[in-house]
Amino acid sequence: MSAQSTEQSALDVLVVGGSGVDTVVRVGTLPVPQVDSVGVPPIREWAGHTGGNVALGCRALGLGVTFLDFIGDDLPGEQVRERLAGGGVDFEHLVSPTGTRRAVNLVDDTGRRMSFYDARDPGDLRMPRDFYLPHLRRARHVHLSIMNFARFLYDDIAELGVPVSTDLHDWDGVDDHHRDFALRSDVVFLSAAGAGERIASVMREILREGRAEAVVATAGAGGSYLMTRDGGRTPRPVPATVPPSPVVDSNGAGDAYVSGFLYGRLAGRRVEDCARLGAVAGAYACTGNGSSALIGREGLDSAQV
C-alpha cells in the first residue's frame, strides 16, 4: 500500500456542515443597555462555527479529520479556509451561492454569550453524493451539523453502517428542523437551556423514538447530563471541570465538549468517561478568545478520567 493510500484511509472523523465566521463583541453585561451607543473593546473575528470547531478540536487531539461544507466565494470563506488549514484539517468545500455563514456574538465579562446567527443557506441546497460518498466510505465516525442539506446524508450513512453524532444546540424538543437529526443519530448532544425544565423528557424522547445510544445535555458551568439506552430514566449528572485558567469566552466550549467526547468514544472508552473528557475539553476552550483554545491529546490524556 502506498503512503498516499495509507493517509487516505486514516479518517477517524468526517464532519459535515457548520462552518462560518463569528464577529465577537465584548460587552460588560448581558443583556446590553438599551441606549444609542455602547463603547466596547476591539471587535474580533474568528472563523470556526460549530462544524469547524468540532473538526479543529478533533484534529488538535490527533484524530484524522476531513471536513465537508459549503462556503461562499468571499472574504469570510477565505477566513474559514485559512483557519482550517492552520489547524491541519483536511477541508473540502463547495461554493454556496449565498455566501459564507456569519454570526455576531455578544460576550460578557463572565464569558457568557448571546449569538445572532445568519445561516443564509438556501432551502434547496444539497451536497452531491459523489462529493461526500468517498469520504463517508472510509470514515470511522460521522458528525453532522444541523444544516438542512446534511439531513439528506442519513440514508447513505445508515446503509454503510457508520456511527453518527449530531449537536442539536438549543433544541426545544419541538422544532421540526432538528427532529431528523435527533432521531437518526447514535450520539446526540444538545444544550440543557433549550428545553429548560423539560430537558429530561426531551432526552428520554430521543432515546425512546430514535436510534441514539447516548444523549448528552450540556449545561455550561453547571456541567452536563447523560442518558443512555440501558441506563435508566433519570439523566446522570457529569460535573463541570474547573478551567485551568480564568474564563475568557465560552464560544466554542460546547463544540470542544463534542470533540473530547468523540475522542474518548473512538478510543473505546466508557460513555461516562467520554462525557468527562468532553467536560475537560469544554472547560479548556473557555480560557481563550473565540475558538482559539484547543486542548491537545497530551492535555486530555493527563486528565484524571
Side-chain angles (χ1 to χ4, degrees), residues 17-243:
S19 64
V21 173
D22 289 321
T23 298
V24 180
V25 183
R26 306 290 308 200
V27 297
T29 60
L30 289 172
V32 297
Q34 293 186 353
V35 296
D36 181 67
S37 179
V38 177
V40 297
I43 295 172
R44 310 280 304 267
E45 286 193 329
W46 301 93
H49 281 205
T50 181
N53 290 340
V54 170
L56 287 162
C58 287
R59 188 71 192 106
L61 290 169
L63 298 173
V65 181
T66 292
F67 182 31
L68 308 178
D69 200 8
F70 289 91
I71 59 173
D73 184 14
D74 49 24
L75 179 58
E78 183 178 340
Q79 292 174 287
V80 169
R81 293 194 300 273
E82 289 179 355
R83 176 73 176 98
L84 292 167
V89 172
D90 173 26
F91 179 47
E92 298 194 22
H93 71 278
L94 299 167
V95 175
S96 169
T98 52
T100 303
R101 304 174 202 97
R102 302 294 304 271
V104 175
N105 298 331
L106 307 185
V107 181
D108 72 9
D109 289 341
T110 69
R112 292 185 310 122
R113 70 159 188 169
M114 181 176 183
S115 181
F116 300 84
Y117 179 53
D118 172 9
R120 74 173 54 206
D121 288 343
D124 60 355
L125 192 66
R126 299 289 183 272
M127 187 168 280
R129 292 180 79 238
D130 61 0
F131 177 72
Y132 67 77
L133 271 177
H135 304 287
L136 187 58
R137 289 187 176 118
R138 62 190 184 92
R140 295 176 60 199
H141 184 92
V142 179
H143 182 77
L144 294 184
S145 301
I146 54 172
M147 309 293 103
N148 185 59
F149 66 80
R151 76 177 72 247
F152 298 99
L153 275 67
Y154 273 112
D155 286 344
D156 287 314
I157 291 171
E159 182 177 343
L160 292 170
V162 185
V164 57
S165 58
T166 195
D167 188 343
L168 307 178
H169 299 284
D170 59 351
W171 190 41
D172 59 4
V174 178
D175 191 330
D176 279 341
H177 174 85
H178 301 69
R179 191 162 297 277
D180 281 345
F181 298 93
L183 302 186
R184 300 193 69 179
S185 298
D186 299 288
V187 181
V188 176
F189 302 90
L190 73 166
S191 168
E197 295 180 355
R198 297 175 43 254
I199 188 61
S201 63
V202 170
M203 295 172 76
R204 284 193 289 269
E205 179 186 357
I206 292 170
L207 288 169
R208 182 179 67 251
E209 303 294 335
R211 58 171 292 155
E213 305 165 8
V215 180
V216 181
T218 56
S224 57
Y225 298 89
L226 172 67
M227 287 190 73
T228 55
R229 188 166 293 280
D230 57 355
R233 293 178 51 80
T234 303
R236 307 193 293 276
V238 179
T241 297
V242 177

